[in-house]
Amino acid sequence: MRQSSTLTFAIIFFSCVIASSQNRSFATLPLVKADSLIINDEDDLNHTEEYDHIVKIYNKLVNARGDFRYPVPKLFLKDEEGYVAYIDYLTNDIVLEKKAYDVCKKHGDIAIAFLLAHELTHYYEKHAWKSGFARDNTDLNIGRDLLAIQDGVANETEADYLGGFLAYTAGYGLFDKGGLIINDLYKAYKLKDNLDGYPSKQDRIKLGERSAKKLSIFVDAFEMANLLLASGNMEHAYFYYEYILNFYQNRELYNNVGTIAVLNAMELFDEDSLQFKYVTELDVNFTGSKDVSIPVNDQINGFLDQAIQHFNAAINLDPNYAPAYLNKANAYALKKDWTKANFYLNEEALPIALKDTTNAYAKTLVDIKILQGIIAAKTGDKEKARKLFTEAQATGSDLANENLRRLDSPIGEGSGLRANNISKDSLASYTVKGFLTSPKFNQDRTVSINNNLIFHQFNPEGEKVRIFINQNDQKKIRTAYLMTKPGYEGMTDKGIKLGDSVTSVTDKYGKPNVKIETTQGQIYSYDTVIFIIDNQTVIQWINIGSKRFYF
């Protein structure tokens, strides 16, 4: 046993710093110092059930980040009381203390996910670089200057913010219990409310609330990008994704932006040349309006080349990300470059999807078979195409069924994206028309996406609905998206409710204008309503509509 004079944890809740104790190497700057805290030099607890618990969470976070350019830090659970959690950059280890685990456990997996995501964000954002460079070069003016402007608080805040988004993309939702955990950690580690040279406990709580609010707005901008894409507004969807990529990069975002470019290209094909429904997998670029002065073929190839660059970015982050290879093959198929299409489909996407043992790429395998069928049909082997479409159809794929029909009765069709009318349906006490006539905004949740686009929100208190608004200042148009929250008990005007089957949707609404394939399910988009489908079940719907404004 020995004594340490340092307890470190993040500006909002957790430690990611390492102090001056001799058995620890450099990590980030200490943010809190407490007296007489005990450090136990025991073996790690990686053989325990608790470790099995956190490593499952950790693996989901690593996979959600999708950045495998560098070695993934090793994870340890240790019987220590002094650091809460930290990343050691020299050994490339992330350590969570058992005491901190016990504190977070009662708040659920989301709290543990947030803590671990915070540490991973320090690693991915290279927060160690400036401190390490400065310490190694204190004999130079630049080294001393860097030490003087160290901003550990900013690094901690960024790690909370981007780490929170990582936890969200990994499926853990938004974390909003920072104040409770701060109180619990202070109590568990016997810290005073005010520590010399550091933010007070109350200031930490306030900073946590502000960071959580900023995170929730960031998440909502991501959801808005998906809705814009689903409703056919690919130009604005691109700008929203671009806004997010300015702060956070992962393979899914690059994959989605590439898919937008493919969909833009598909809109430019004439009906005869786009016989089949091509595979475009989103993991739920367009840089301006279509230029009539540029030949259509040049525009198509420009979009497809842009898409391939984005898919390459996703692959660079994770060379084992099968959807990006599939989408890249799809882009080359649309360019009629059959050699490259077959290579990325059969030599890259297929082996990766086949060797996955988690069933994460089950749908990707079906879509690979469908694209194989399209390439076979386009290169003259109609019977091989029929066999492949039939095999995919047996898995329940609507896309395979549609392409099988088109094989025998070719019907040219573009992407089908179209402008929306105004929905007359209601959610709770709201309608799109009524809201756009008398709009209400939560001013503190407004985001300027670029010089022309503004993202507004309105969250009615006590209602299981929320409203997103995309405002185009250039064209003076607002588009409202009224969406259900989990647990909404109402129905659409045609009688669809949450939990209904996708068959019920098509029975009552017919064939969707757009059906976007995601890696897990589909988005069914109609003129005035969008259905989000997971496991053939409706998990959300959104009423949509646009209106010009004059002020």
Side-chain angles (χ1 to χ4, degrees), residues 176-459:
D176 58 1
K177 296 181 179 178
L180 290 175
I181 288 189
I182 290 170
N183 282 320
D184 288 350
L185 285 172
Y186 266 71
K187 182 178 180 180
Y189 282 86
K190 299 178 181 179
L191 289 169
K192 296 179 294 185
D193 286 0
N194 294 288
L195 303 171
D196 292 341
Y198 296 92
S200 68
K201 184 173 74 171
Q202 289 305 312
D203 281 347
R204 289 177 181 276
I205 292 173
K206 289 293 185 183
L207 285 169
E209 291 171 351
R210 293 176 184 178
S211 183
K213 180 179 177 181
K214 183 179 179 182
L215 170 62
S216 69
I217 295 172
F218 192 60
V219 165
D220 288 341
F222 175 70
E223 297 294 343
M224 186 62 173
N226 296 336
L227 291 176
L228 287 163
L229 181 60
S231 60
N233 192 342
M234 290 179 289
E235 178 181 3
H236 290 179
Y238 170 78
F239 289 126
Y240 273 74
Y241 282 128
E242 185 181 56
Y243 169 82
I244 295 164
L245 282 168
N246 285 332
F247 303 96
Y248 182 89
Q249 301 81 39
N250 75 353
R251 60 188 184 183
E252 283 82 6
L253 284 172
Y254 281 118
N255 183 69
N256 287 4
V257 174
T259 300
I260 292 173
V262 171
L263 292 172
N264 272 282
M266 290 170 68
E267 280 200 311
L268 296 172
F269 279 88
D270 60 63
E271 293 186 350
D272 292 334
S273 64
L274 199 64
Q275 174 184 347
F276 295 102
K277 297 287 284 186
Y278 280 72
V279 174
T280 49
E281 278 204 0
L282 282 168
D283 233 350
V284 183
N285 142 341
F286 187 66
T287 57
S289 301
K290 297 177 179 63
D291 188 345
V292 295
S293 67
I294 301 176
V296 171
N297 284 340
D298 290 345
Q299 293 186 62
I300 289 173
N301 284 322
F303 283 129
L304 293 175
D305 289 341
Q306 189 177 23
I308 289 167
Q309 290 177 8
H310 287 301
F311 297 139
N312 284 339
I315 290 166
N316 286 338
L317 288 174
D318 182 2
N320 291 307
Y321 185 49
Y325 288 106
L326 168 61
N327 285 330
K328 187 175 179 179
N330 185 70
Y332 277 117
L334 286 166
K335 289 169 69 75
K336 297 183 180 179
D337 188 335
W338 309 121
T339 299
K340 290 183 179 178
N342 278 310
F343 174 79
Y344 289 110
L345 186 63
N346 300 316
E347 303 300 325
E348 299 284 7
L350 182 59
I352 291 170
L354 284 173
K355 73 179 181 182
D356 177 71
T357 59
T358 65
N359 208 38
Y361 293 145
K363 185 175 181 299
T364 301
L365 282 169
V366 175
D367 289 341
I368 288 171
K369 195 176 292 290
I370 292 170
L371 185 54
Q372 287 173 330
I374 291 173
I375 293 173
K378 285 289 189 178
T379 54
D381 196 340
K382 187 174 180 180
E383 291 312 307
K384 181 180 178 181
R386 187 187 310 281
K387 179 177 181 293
L388 289 163
F389 290 153
T390 301
E391 290 173 357
Q393 183 189 44
T395 67
S397 169
D398 292 335
L399 186 61
N401 186 60
E402 175 68 16
N403 279 321
L404 192 60
R405 182 183 66 80
R406 292 182 180 209
L407 186 65
D408 295 316
S409 302
I411 300 174
E413 183 177 352
S415 66
L417 299 172
R418 62 185 72 182
N420 298 309
N421 300 314
I422 293 182
S423 170
K424 297 179 181 178
D425 202 355
S426 63
L427 283 179
S429 59
Y430 297 91
T431 64
V432 173
K433 183 177 181 180
F435 183 83
L436 288 174
T437 300
S438 301
K440 300 177 182 179
F441 305 138
N442 298 125
Q443 296 297 335
D444 59 343
R445 299 184 69 83
T446 292
V447 177
S448 293
I449 300 300
N450 60 23
N451 291 334
N452 295 320
L453 297 181
I454 299 176
F455 174 41
H456 296 292
Q457 298 184 53
F458 180 62
N459 291 295

Side-chain angles (χ1 to χ4, degrees), residues 484-530:
T484 62
K485 289 182 178 179
Y488 182 77
E489 296 180 351
M491 294 188 289
T492 70
D493 61 345
K494 295 186 179 181
I496 297 296
K497 61 183 183 300
L498 298 181
D500 280 353
S501 68
V502 67
T503 303
S504 299
V505 173
T506 54
D507 285 347
K508 294 180 179 180
Y509 283 85
K511 180 182 175 182
N513 298 335
V514 185
K515 185 171 67 174
I516 297 177
E517 298 291 324
T518 75
T519 56
Q520 299 299 323
Q522 300 87 28
I523 299 172
Y524 280 52
S525 183
Y526 297 87
D527 281 345
T528 60
V529 63
I530 299 169

